[in-house]
């Protein structure tokens, strides 16, 4: 895990090993979290075209039961659930109703990283960490 701090922003990135359930191929992945975007994590998967952005709550809830976020038909989203053996978590990458891939990662490793993320910004304190100037600039931008 790496942690970087600039001004009021803390970025935490952690490594996650992923195994493709269909091909049994190994992929390196990084889960990135920024305190100025406190509700979301970004999952960057080696050889995957773009990061998958999902609410951190979906990852947390998916440790114990099926949890997912909905996406627009042209955007990717995440479906998370514990594996049948309990030692892994399954991360399903979706696009609309289409399941693009399912990866598994060690449950204990993901739980440890989620704990650290929630220590940075506890549940219920997210609004105080949002960079509202950046949000407004994005909304008013070209």
């Amino acid at each position: 895990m790496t942690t970087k701090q600039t001004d009021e922003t803390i970025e935490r990135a952690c490594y996650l090993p992923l195994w493709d359930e269909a091909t049994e191929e190994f992929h390196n992945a990084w889960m990135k979290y920024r305190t100025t975007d406190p509700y979301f994590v970004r999952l960057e998967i080696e050889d995957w075209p773009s990061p998958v952005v999902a609410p951190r709550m979906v990852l947390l809830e998916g440790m114990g039961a099926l949890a997912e976020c909905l996406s627009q038909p042209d955007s990717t989203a995440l479906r998370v659930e514990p594996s049948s053996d309990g030692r892994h978590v399954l991360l399903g990458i979706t696009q609309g109703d289409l399941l693009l891939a399912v990866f598994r990662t060690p449950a204990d490793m993901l739980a440890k990283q989620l704990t650290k993320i929630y220590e940075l910004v506890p549940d219920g304190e997210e609004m105080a960490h949002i960079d509202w100037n950046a949000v407004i600039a994005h909304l008013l931008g070209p």
Side-chain angles (χ1 to χ4, degrees), residues 70-77 94-100:
L70 302 176
S71 70
Q72 297 175 343
D74 60 344
S75 300
T76 56
T94 63
Q95 188 170 21
D97 291 334
L98 181 63
L99 182 61
L100 302 175

Side-chain angles (χ1 to χ4, degrees), residues 132-142:
W132 290 106
N133 291 331
V135 171
I136 292 168
H138 177 73
L139 292 173
L140 297 176

Side-chain angles (χ1 to χ4, degrees), residues 12 33 35 56 112-123 125 129:
R12 177 159 281 180
Y33 179 77
T35 56
R56 67 182 187 161
K112 179 180 175 182
Q113 303 311 328
L114 286 171
T115 298
K116 291 181 181 186
I117 286 172
Y118 275 90
E119 286 172 356
L120 284 175
V121 180
D123 199 24
E125 294 183 18
H129 291 272

Side-chain angles (χ1 to χ4, degrees), residues 13-28:
C14 63
Y15 172 77
L16 288 177
L18 299 180
W19 288 268
D20 188 313
E21 286 288 287
T23 64
E24 283 299 318
E25 293 178 346
F26 175 79
H27 296 271
N28 294 302

